[in-house]
Amino acid sequence: DAHPMRTVAALRALLASPRDRWPQAIAALYRAYWVHGRNMAAADTIAAALTEAGLTSEQVAAAIAANDDPRIKAELRERTDEAIERGVFGAPTMFVDTPKGEVMLWGQDRLGILEELLGGERLPDPVALEPVAGRTLDLWYDFASPFAHLAAHRIDATARAIGAELRWRPMLLGALFRDVGTENVPLFTMPECKRRYLGQELDRWSLRWAAPFRFASRFPMRTIQALRLALLANERIGELSLALFRELWSNDGDLNDPDTLAKVLDGLGLDAQQMLADSSNPAVKEQLRQNTTEALQAGVFGAPTFVVRDGERRELYWGQDRLDLLVDVYRPRGASTEA
């Protein structure tokens, strides 16, 4: 309830603790904050955590007293400066040495990638489940999002893995951002170190999902007509959406150019002339606006977002890097993962 709490005293006490007890001390300090909600600025909270970690009373007393030690204060400042110099912009951040050089990973949800980089093997993709009655998976997307491009390449396999009916739900991401109070292009508001990292993440996930990718030279791209065309594709919406994503994020095409859109439509055997004309139909425009309103009502705030409905249960997941988590949640324990 008291979040955020000052943690400087706890960090200094950790630095003054025996290094061989750091794993236990770190775990105990986290429990004090995030499980028990104790006052992390209080000496007795820190002392109790260090005692729980197995430090002797003398070691605990020394660690608490070291809060006023200039050397400990300087060490914490130096470690923070090192983190900034290495490109850290949030916690937790991890660095791992690989044959191709050092890799930085941000977020606890990157531990699976860390394990792979350290030599662990990925589990095989799960086989399809029999369809579960009433279970649906909505993909809310806009072609303007490179992360939605990655998700689109994985979403069909994800739906089959949890036995859900997949529903492609195009929306106007810019209008959604406006309504929820987000900058129109969040990437432009981030510090340079975070933008640089996210560029590396896009490349990393494109390899993981086998989704050819290069950042669009016309970013941000106006995608309204392309989204209307997706709606007009009806039962072929997934097929067309994937093709439009690839045109923008694999081929650096211009989705604001009618000739480019016609080329994509023709490539799928669709009636390009008729669909381009119909994309100006007021009913299609209204359908896209209504989709965006429904996304807002569903709690969507970015792309890609996945909404799973399973009977009375409804859950929202944001980001293509949540697809594995979604499968873990909705796949029965013990279900085969081998194809």
Side-chain angles (χ1 to χ4, degrees):
D1 293 337
H3 179 73
M5 288 187 270
R6 283 179 56 82
T7 57
V8 173
L11 290 166
R12 290 175 182 167
L14 176 67
L15 289 174
S17 299
R19 295 295 196 270
D20 62 350
R21 303 307 301 174
W22 272 24
Q24 295 85 355
I26 291 168
L29 288 164
Y30 270 120
R31 280 194 296 274
Y33 194 137
W34 293 107
V35 178
H36 304 301
R38 294 173 183 148
N39 181 5
M40 297 304 294
D44 58 349
T45 296
I46 299 170
L50 296 181
T51 300
E52 178 188 335
L55 274 68
T56 66
S57 57
E58 292 79 9
Q59 290 170 332
V60 171
I64 298 297
N67 255 279
D68 297 321
D69 187 333
R71 293 172 300 175
I72 295 295
K73 293 180 179 180
E75 183 179 353
L76 184 55
R77 285 193 297 268
E78 289 166 3
R79 287 173 175 269
T80 305
D81 290 341
E82 180 188 353
I84 294 169
E85 184 176 347
R86 296 181 70 178
V88 175
F89 53 85
T93 295
M94 301 158 284
F95 291 88
V96 58
D97 291 323
T98 75
K100 295 183 179 180
E102 186 178 72
V103 174
M104 183 179 110
L105 299 170
W106 169 56
Q108 52 79 28
D109 48 1
R110 294 301 184 267
L111 289 172
I113 293 178
L114 174 63
E115 184 175 5
E116 291 170 25
L117 290 172
L118 291 172
E121 295 183 2
R122 284 195 65 190
L123 290 174
D125 290 338
V127 297
L129 282 184
E130 289 295 323
V132 178
R135 180 177 291 179
T136 59
L137 170 58
D138 288 350
L139 167 61
W140 293 98
Y141 64 99
D142 187 322
F143 299 116
S145 166
F147 295 99
H149 162 74
L150 299 177
H153 283 73
R154 188 67 177 174
I155 194 64
D156 186 63
T158 301
R160 286 186 280 107
I162 66 171
E165 175 193 354
L166 174 59
R167 303 192 299 190
W168 295 76
R169 306 299 303 273
M171 64 178 179
L172 290 164
L173 187 58
L176 184 80
F177 281 160
R178 179 198 64 212
D179 291 342
V180 300
T182 296
E183 293 290 337
N184 189 44
V185 188
L187 191 67
F188 291 168
T189 68
M190 297 175 184
E192 174 57 30
C193 55
K194 188 171 183 177
R195 286 201 301 271
R196 185 169 58 249
Y197 174 80
L198 288 180
Q200 297 168 354
E201 282 274 276
L202 285 166
D203 290 336
R204 191 175 293 146
W205 284 99
S206 72
L207 292 173
R208 189 182 182 93
W209 296 148
F213 171 80
R214 60 173 169 165
F215 204 90
S217 61
R218 300 174 184 84
F219 183 79
M221 173 68 67
R222 182 177 170 83
T223 58
I224 293 177
Q225 189 171 21
L227 292 165
R228 292 174 185 165
L229 290 171
L231 289 171
L232 286 167
N234 298 317
E235 70 277 1
R236 298 186 68 184
I237 185 173
E239 187 180 359
L240 177 57
S241 293
L242 273 173
L244 290 167
F245 269 122
R246 290 182 184 125
E247 182 61 30
L248 176 56
W249 293 109
S250 300
N251 304 330
D252 198 24
D254 184 357
L255 296 192
N256 215 22
D257 173 33
D259 290 339
T260 299
L261 295 172
K263 179 190 70 174
V264 175
L265 293 167
D266 287 338
L268 296 177
L270 296 168
D271 188 338
Q273 183 177 358
Q274 185 64 54
M275 290 181 68
L276 286 169
D278 289 346
S279 66
S280 298
N281 189 308
V284 178
K285 295 180 180 180
E286 178 57 30
Q287 185 179 355
L288 184 56
R289 285 193 292 267
Q290 182 60 34
N291 263 25
T292 307
T293 299
E294 289 181 21
L296 184 66
Q297 293 171 343
V300 176
F301 54 86
T305 294
F306 320 102
V307 177
V308 183
R309 287 182 171 83
D310 188 18
E312 296 298 317
R313 182 179 180 184
R314 175 190 170 282
E315 291 188 334
L316 182 149
Y317 297 80
W318 172 57
Q320 54 81 28
D321 49 358
R322 294 300 184 270
L323 288 172
D324 285 340
L325 177 60
L326 189 157
V327 171
D328 287 343
V329 170
Y330 283 91
R331 193 169 177 82
R333 291 184 181 275
S336 173
T337 59
E338 296 183 0

